[in-house]
Amino acid sequence: MHINVIGAGLAGCEAAMQIASHGIKVHLYEMKPNKKTPAHHTEKYAELFCSNSLKAMRVESAAGLLKEEMRRLDSFLMKCADACKVPAGGALAVDRDIFSSLATEGIKSCELIEVYEEEVCEIPKDEITVVASGPLTSEPLAEYIRGMFGSSLSFFDAAAPIVTAESIDMEYAFCASRYDKGDGDDYINCPMNKEEYETFYNALISAERAPLHDCDVSNPKVYEGCMPVEVMAQRGEGTLRFGPMKPVGLVNPKTGHRPWAVLQLRKENKAGNMYNLVGFQTNLKFPEQKRVFSLIPALHNADFVRYGVMHRNTFLDSPRILNSDFSVKDNHSLFFAGQITGVEGYIESAASGLAVGIYLADFVQGRQPAVFPKITAIGALSYYISDEVHTNFQPMNINFGLLPPLTERIKKKKEKEERKPVLDIKDIPAPHKIKAKLDDFVVGQEHAKKVMSVAVYNHYKRVATDTMDDIEIEKSNMLMIGPTGCGKTYLVKTLAKLLDVPLAITDATSLTEAGYIGDDIESVVSKLLAAADNDVEKAEQGIIFIDEIDKIAKKKNTSQRDVSGESVQQGMLKLLEG
C-alpha cells in the first residue's frame, strides 16, 4: 500500500512527510532536475520563488495563527523554517537555500518516501494520489488536468530582485525595523527625498517591461498581494509611498526626520551577504531593473545577483471541483494540494499539504478522518476553496475575514479590569492636579502639559459626567507642534495611560480617499474601537492621535487625482468635529 504525491514543492513535501510519519509508504514524483520551470533556480525541493518571507509571526495575526496551528500539528516545513530564520522584524523570514536544503535532506532521508525524479504527464488511475504540482504545473500535466475538469484559471505572479550586501552604499542607508519591531535593526532602509522619489517614479513607470505570452504587459492580470512594483506605480504617484515604500514608523538617524519614501531591504540568507528588495516584485527587462533601481541613492552601485521575474500561476476553479478535504468531488481517491487549489502563499500551500496528509493517514488506517473546523485557520482556508458561493473564484491568503465572526466579545483579563486609573474620568480632578500627575512622568514641556491638562479637564467633564456647568468649550482638539523627538507622542501615550482610556495612533501621510491604498478616515475610528476591545462605550472616551497632520494639504502642480491631500480634509474635519 502506498500513496502517490506529485510535486516536491511546499505542499508536496509537507503532505509526503505527514503521510510517512504515520507509517504509510509514499511515492513522491518530482520532475527536477531533469526538467525545470522558468521560476526554478535549483534542484532542491520546497524552493521559494518570490520572497524569503513567511509573513507575520504574531499569533494575533492570521498568518501567525496559521503557522502556530501547523507547529502544533508537527509540521515538517515549520521545523525547517524555524531552523533557518533570518532577522525580519515581526515577520518570519528564512534563508532560502538552507530552507530548501533542509526540506530536501528530510525527504530523501525518510525511509518511507521513495522519490522518482521524472515528469508525470497523467494522473495514475485507481491509486490514491495527491497532485501538488504547484502553480507552475508542467504543460503536459496541466493539459491532462484541463481535460479532466474542462478549464483552469491563471494569473501572473512576480519575484523581487536580490542585491549583494557589500554593494549597498550605507552612506545613504540606515538599519532599523519599522516601529522598532524585532531586534530593531533587521532591515536596511534606503531613504529618498521628494525629488529623488519623483525621479525614480517617473523612470519606473516609463521603463520597458519584459513580454508576456498572451498578455498585455501594461495591464497584466496579477495577484494583488504580489503585484509588480511598476504596475502598482501606474495607479498614481503616491501609491508606492502608501505601499512598499511607505516611510511610516521609520526615522532616519542621520537627519532626525522621517524620509519622503523608503525602500526596505531584508536579509536573504543567514550569512547576511545578500538582501532582497522588499515589495519590489517586477517584470521590467533586466537592464531596465539595473537602470531604474540604481536611481535609489543607496543602490547606485548595487550588484544584482538575481533580477526580478514574472511567471504565470495556474489554479483550479476549486469550488466547482474540490471538497473541503481537498479531494475531487466525484473521485475521493484523488486530492489536490498547494497553490494549484487557490490557496495563495508559501505557508498556505504547506498548510494545505499538511491537511491532506493528516486526512489521508486517518482514512487509510481506518480512523475517522480529521476535519478542520471553520474556526481554525487551516479549516477556514479549506472551506474557502470549496465554497460553491464563489462565482468568480480567486486565490486567497489566510486572513481573519475567512474565519467566522466571534459570537461574543472577548473580555479583558480580570486583573486588567480591576485596575484603577490614576486619573478617574468619572471624577476628573482639577487641571493643576492633572499636570502634577504628568510631571511624574514627563520632564519639561511645561506649557504643553498645562494646555493639555486644561483641555483634558474640559473634555472629560463634558463627555464622562454630562455636566456642562462652568464649561464654555464644547470640545477639545489639541494641535501639538514641535520637532521630531520633543515628546509629542510620549505625552499623549502617558495621558492615555493615566486616564486608562483607549488610544489610537495614526499617521496622516497614510490617509487616503476611501478605495485607495492606505487608510481612510473611517479606519482611524476603527483603530480606536479595536484598542477598546470593540467596546463602543469605552471607545467614546478614547483618544485619537494623528501624527504628521501638516502633510494633509492640497498637492500642487499635479494632473493626477489627489487621493491623499485635499480629498481627505472633509473627512478629517468631521472627525475633529466629533
Side-chain angles (χ1 to χ4, degrees):
M1 171 66 190
H2 72 271
I3 293 175
N4 300 313
V5 176
I6 301 173
L10 294 164
C13 286
E14 188 68 66
M17 287 299 281
Q18 285 295 326
I19 295 167
S21 69
H22 287 82
I24 303 169
K25 191 169 184 178
V26 177
H27 289 182
L28 177 62
Y29 294 86
E30 171 54 51
M31 66 182 187
K32 291 193 298 184
N34 301 317
K35 184 176 181 179
K36 295 181 182 179
T37 70
H40 285 128
H41 294 277
T42 74
E43 298 178 358
K44 299 173 183 176
Y45 305 158
E47 192 172 352
L48 305 181
F49 297 147
C50 303
S51 166
N52 69 331
S53 173
L54 305 183
K55 293 185 286 192
M57 289 191 289
R58 295 180 302 108
V59 292
E60 298 89 348
S61 68
L65 175 62
L66 180 61
K67 287 191 281 289
E68 184 59 25
E69 289 181 3
M70 293 173 67
R71 287 189 181 98
R72 296 190 182 196
L73 292 168
D74 200 30
S75 164
F76 165 62
L77 290 180
M78 284 309 305
K79 292 177 184 176
C80 296
D82 290 334
C84 63
K85 59 185 178 183
V86 298
L92 173 61
V94 301
D95 182 312
R96 282 191 245 204
D97 187 61
I98 297 177
F99 176 81
S100 294
S101 295
L102 291 173
T104 305
E105 291 165 8
I107 291 291
K108 289 189 172 181
S109 63
C110 181
E111 295 181 354
L112 288 173
I113 298 177
E114 188 170 348
V115 178
Y116 296 84
E117 294 180 341
E118 59 187 63
E119 181 180 8
V120 174
C121 299
E122 296 183 2
I123 297 173
K125 292 181 174 61
D126 302 323
E127 294 181 6
I128 298 177
T129 300
V130 180
V131 180
S133 50
L136 296 173
T137 299
S138 67
E139 188 53 39
L141 181 57
E143 187 61 35
Y144 182 86
I145 294 171
R146 279 192 289 268
M148 291 177 62
F149 304 123
S151 66
S152 64
L153 307 172
S154 67
F155 63 90
F156 285 94
D157 202 357
I162 297 173
V163 299
T164 62
E166 62 182 5
S167 69
I168 303 167
D169 191 340
M170 293 305 295
E171 287 294 317
Y172 299 94
F174 63 95
C175 294
S177 294
R178 206 180 302 279
Y179 302 112
D180 293 323
K181 291 183 178 179
D183 293 331
D185 59 354
D186 294 347
Y187 291 83
I188 292 179
N189 299 277
C190 306
M192 304 174 76
N193 60 32
K194 189 171 186 287
E195 182 180 355
E196 291 164 344
Y197 174 79
E198 289 175 349
T199 300
F200 165 76
Y201 171 79
N202 290 323
L204 179 64
I205 60 174
S206 60
E208 190 175 0
R209 305 178 187 184
L212 295 171
H213 182 62
D214 295 331
C215 179
D216 177 9
V217 296
S218 64
N219 188 29
K221 180 183 178 183
V222 296
Y223 174 63
E224 290 281 327
C226 205
M227 181 181 294
V229 65
E230 62 273 11
V231 175
M232 187 185 301
Q234 69 189 22
R235 294 184 172 183
E237 185 176 320
T239 305
L240 296 181
R241 294 185 59 247
F242 297 105
M245 300 189 77
K246 61 180 179 287
V248 295
L250 293 168
V251 174
N252 188 344
K254 297 173 183 177
T255 64
H257 298 288
R258 187 173 61 188
W260 182 258
V262 173
L263 166 65
Q264 289 197 303
L265 308 179
R266 182 177 56 229
K267 282 185 181 179
E268 175 64 26
N269 55 14
K270 276 198 166 185
N273 58 6
M274 292 188 294
Y275 280 76
N276 64 62
L277 281 60
V278 179
F280 263 45
Q281 297 85 1
T282 183
N283 185 46
L284 297 183
K285 289 187 173 181
F286 290 175
E288 290 288 79
Q289 292 185 43
K290 173 71 173 175
R291 178 183 69 85
V292 174
F293 297 150
S294 294
L295 292 173
I296 299 171
L299 301 183
H300 66 99
N301 285 324
D303 179 15
F304 290 79
V305 295
R306 192 191 79 179
Y307 288 105
V309 293
M310 197 168 183
H311 52 82
R312 184 188 295 275
N313 276 6
T314 300
F315 60 97
L316 300 172
D317 186 4
S318 293
R320 187 174 59 84
I321 297 170
L322 301 181
N323 298 306
S324 61
D325 58 11
F326 294 92
S327 64
V328 174
K329 290 185 176 180
D330 58 359
N331 183 356
H332 209 64
S333 65
L334 177 59
F335 293 74
F336 283 82
Q339 281 189 267
I340 195 171
T341 68
V343 297
E344 176 57 33
Y346 294 146
I347 290 299
E348 289 85 345
S349 295
S352 68
L354 180 145
V356 170
I358 292 175
Y359 182 94
L360 281 174
D362 287 342
F363 177 74
V364 170
Q365 295 178 336
R367 296 185 295 271
Q368 179 66 34
V371 176
F372 292 93
K374 268 187 177 181
I375 59 172
T376 64
I378 295 175
L381 278 172
S382 65
Y383 277 96
Y384 172 76
I385 63 97
S386 59
D387 189 349
E388 294 183 351
V389 73
H390 301 298
T391 56
N392 182 26
F393 180 67
Q394 293 295 315
M396 183 72 74
N397 290 109
I398 184 62
N399 62 81
F400 282 126
L402 298 182
L403 278 74
L406 297 176
T407 56
E408 60 182 29
R409 184 176 66 85
I410 303 300
K411 295 182 179 180
K412 294 182 179 180
K413 293 181 180 179
K414 186 176 180 181
E415 60 268 21
K416 196 170 183 181
E417 289 179 341
E418 294 177 350
R419 185 183 67 191
K420 292 184 178 180
V422 178
L423 300 172
D424 188 354
I425 62 176
K426 298 292 184 182
D427 186 21
I428 195 75
H432 71 278
K433 292 182 179 180
I434 298 175
K435 180 184 178 297
K437 290 299 181 182
L438 286 172
D439 288 339
D440 291 340
F441 294 90
V442 181
V443 177
Q445 300 294 356
E446 294 300 311
H447 178 70
K449 286 186 288 188
K450 289 178 182 178
V451 172
M452 291 180 74
S453 299
V454 173
V456 166
Y457 175 80
N458 286 335
H459 180 74
Y460 285 107
K461 194 76 172 177
R462 175 178 64 86
V463 171
T465 66
D466 290 326
T467 56
M468 296 296 292
D469 299 341
D470 303 323
I471 298 177
E472 297 180 2
I473 303 174
E474 293 186 357
K475 56 181 177 288
S476 299
N477 294 315
M478 290 181 284
L479 181 62
M480 305 179 72
I481 302 173
T484 299
C486 71
K488 299 186 294 294
T489 305
Y490 182 69
L491 272 167
V492 176
K493 284 183 175 179
T494 302
L495 188 61
K497 185 176 180 181
L498 292 174
L499 295 167
D500 191 26
V501 296
L503 169 66
I505 299 178
T506 194
D507 196 299
T509 59
S510 70
L511 295 175
T512 63
E513 187 177 342
Y516 291 82
I517 292 177
D519 298 326
D520 57 40
I521 299 300
E522 288 76 12
S523 71
V524 177
V525 181
S526 297
K527 286 182 180 179
L528 182 64
L529 188 59
D533 290 335
N534 293 319
D535 185 331
V536 175
E537 184 178 354
K538 187 79 172 174
E540 288 175 343
Q541 300 169 355
I543 298 173
I544 292 177
F545 180 69
I546 304 175
D547 200 7
E548 303 287 352
I549 193 74
D550 57 305
K551 300 298 190 295
I552 301 181
K554 182 177 180 179
K555 302 294 188 294
K556 297 180 179 179
N557 302 323
T558 178
S559 59
Q560 295 177 324
R561 186 182 180 93
D562 178 14
V563 300
S564 61
E566 189 177 27
S567 59
V568 175
Q569 292 178 7
Q570 291 302 316
M572 183 66 72
L573 284 173
K574 291 179 182 178
L575 183 66
L576 295 177
E577 290 169 359

